[in-house]
Amino acid sequence: MGEFEVHRVRFFGLVPAGVRCLACQPRGTRLALARTDGAVEVYNFAANYYQEKVIPGHEARAVESLCWAAGDRLFGAGLSGDITEYDLARLSAARGTDGGGGPIWSMAANSTGTQLAIGCEDGSVKIFQVVPGGIQFERNLDRRKGRVLCLSWHPSNTHIAAGSIDVFRVIDVASGQTVQRIMVNYHMEKAKRECVVWAIALLSKGSVVTADSFGRVQFWDWQQGTLAESHTVSTSATLSLAVSEREDSMVVGTSTGATYQLQLLPVKLGGSEKRWVRTKPFQYHSHDVRAVAHSATALISGGLDAQLVIRPLMEKVQKKGYDAVLRKFTFPHRRLVSCARKARLLLFQFSQHLELWRLGSTEESGKDGEVLPLCRMPEHLVQIKSKGPEHIYCSCVSPCGTWLGYSTASRLHLYRVHCDGDSVSLRKV
C-alpha cells in the first residue's frame, strides 16, 4: 500500500436540524419525518428502515404536523397557515391550501383518510375533504378561545378531541358543537402557572389521554367529565404521545430527552380488570423529544438533538436479527462534502449557503500515525449564499476545482472558480 496523508477536517460547522414531528403510515410500511428546517424525510420499514426520500426544506414552510391520508398521500401543515401536499415522486411540495385560521398548530386525518382536521391559532377546528388532486374546505367546527395545539379523531370518526392551554374539549363532528369541555388542572390547588396540553389521544372505548406541561399522562372519561387515572412520568413537560393500533400500549416523550412506555395490563394474573402501568423508561436523547410514533413492532422517537431512534418491541420480534437492534439515525444520509483532489479544495453544503475551503499543507514527513505540523493552515476561500427561500438540495465541485454548482428544488446554479494565489473570484455561468 502506498503512502498517503489523512486530513483531519474539524472546520465543518454543521448543525443538524432537529426532529419536529413523525407520522406512521396507517396499515403501511413507511414513516414520515419533518425537521425544524422544513425538510421532510420518508423511511421504509420493509426495507430495513431505509431512508428512501428527502424533500428539501423551505424558509417559508415550517412543518408543525404531518399526516398520511387516502393511502399514500402525505400532508403537512405549519405556522405559515398553509396545508401542503407533498409530491413523493418529484420530491417537492405539490400544492398548498390556505387553512383560513392563521398559523396551524396541529393536524390529524380520520381513520379512513378521507378528511383532515386542523387546529388553528384563532381557536377554530376546520375540516377539509381529501379529493383527487388536492383538498377542499368542508366546514368549521365550534370555535373557542385559545390556540388548538393538538388533535385526535375517534376511531369511529364521530368525535374529535382538541387540546389547548388549561383545557381540552370533545367536539361532535356531525353537529360541529362542543359536547364536553374539561379543565385539566381544576383539581390542583393554587395552580400558579398554566397547563399546556401538548398531546392528546381519543381512544375507542371512550377515554381521552392527555400529555401536559406538568409532566403528567392523564386518562379521562370524557362522557362523565371525570379523571380516571393520572401518571406523573416526568418532573418536566411531556411533549408527545402516540398510541398503538390495538390501544394496549403507548409511548410518551418528555423535555428531558426521556421516553416512557405505558401498557394496559391486568391488575391480577388472569383477571379481566386492566390498568395502565408505566413499564419501560428509555434515555436515548439529550434534548426535547418533540415527536413519537408507535408502530406494530417498535417505539419510534425523534428529538431536537436531530436523532431518530427506533426501539423494537422485543415481545413483537419473532427471531433475532436486524429487527431486534436499536437504531439511531444521527448523520445526514446525503453527501454534504465535496472534494476537488487536484486543487486540494473542499466544498461544504449548508441549508442556505456553501463554503469553499483550501486544505492545509505540510513539508514534513514522518512515520505511520504521526501528526505532521502544518506549514500552511486551512483557508476559508469563499462563501456562496443561496438566493430565495428554497434550501440547497445538492452541491458539487469539479476535481480540478474550477467549476462549482448547486441546485435547489427548482433551480440549478453553476459558477466558474478562478484561483490566483491567495485571491479567489467567482463568475456565474
Side-chain angles (χ1 to χ4, degrees), residues 131-285:
V131 297
I135 58 174
Q136 184 177 347
F137 175 74
E138 186 173 335
R139 60 197 177 96
N140 283 313
L141 302 184
D142 188 19
R143 176 181 171 184
R144 297 294 176 91
K145 185 179 179 180
R147 62 179 62 143
V148 181
L149 296 173
C150 50
L151 287 173
S152 177
W153 285 78
H154 191 273
S156 64
N157 303 328
T158 57
H159 294 82
I160 293 176
S164 301
I165 298 175
D166 290 331
V167 67
F168 77 88
R169 54 197 174 104
V170 180
I171 307 171
D172 184 85
V173 177
S175 64
Q177 298 300 314
T178 298
V179 295
Q180 187 64 268
R181 184 176 182 271
I182 299 176
M183 300 291 293
V184 294
N185 60 347
Y186 74 97
H187 59 286
M188 295 187 64
E189 297 181 0
K190 300 180 181 179
K192 296 181 180 180
R193 57 190 175 96
E194 61 186 16
C195 180
V196 182
V197 180
W198 285 116
I200 197 167
L202 184 52
L203 305 184
S204 59
K205 294 183 180 181
S207 298
V208 175
V209 189
T210 60
D212 57 42
S213 58
F214 287 172
R216 302 171 302 185
V217 177
Q218 295 182 308
F219 297 82
W220 305 83
D221 184 340
W222 68 266
Q223 294 179 339
Q224 302 294 329
T226 57
L227 177 65
E229 295 183 47
S230 181
H231 299 263
T232 302
V233 298
S234 175
T235 56
S236 58
T238 50
L239 302 174
S240 49
L241 171 72
V243 184
S244 65
E245 187 176 353
R246 297 178 58 184
E247 297 184 356
D248 59 353
S249 173
M250 65 179 62
V251 57
V252 179
T254 67
S255 60
T256 60
T259 56
Y260 299 89
Q261 184 187 9
L262 285 83
Q263 291 179 284
L264 189 60
L265 301 176
V267 177
K268 295 183 179 180
L269 186 63
S272 59
E273 183 184 358
K274 294 183 178 181
R275 295 195 64 180
W276 287 96
V277 180
R278 191 182 74 183
T279 55
K280 298 173 184 176
F282 306 105
Q283 185 75 46
Y284 297 130
H285 298 275

Side-chain angles (χ1 to χ4, degrees), residues 5 7 9 335-349 355-359 395-404:
E5 296 177 349
H7 296 265
V9 178
R335 188 180 70 172
L336 301 179
V337 179
S338 180
C339 178
R341 294 180 58 188
K342 296 181 181 179
R344 300 173 63 86
L345 300 178
L346 286 180
L347 180 67
F348 299 140
Q349 175 184 320
E355 291 184 0
L356 187 66
W357 286 73
R358 178 185 284 125
L359 287 173
S395 61
C396 189
V397 61
S398 63
C400 61
T402 57
W403 296 96
L404 185 153

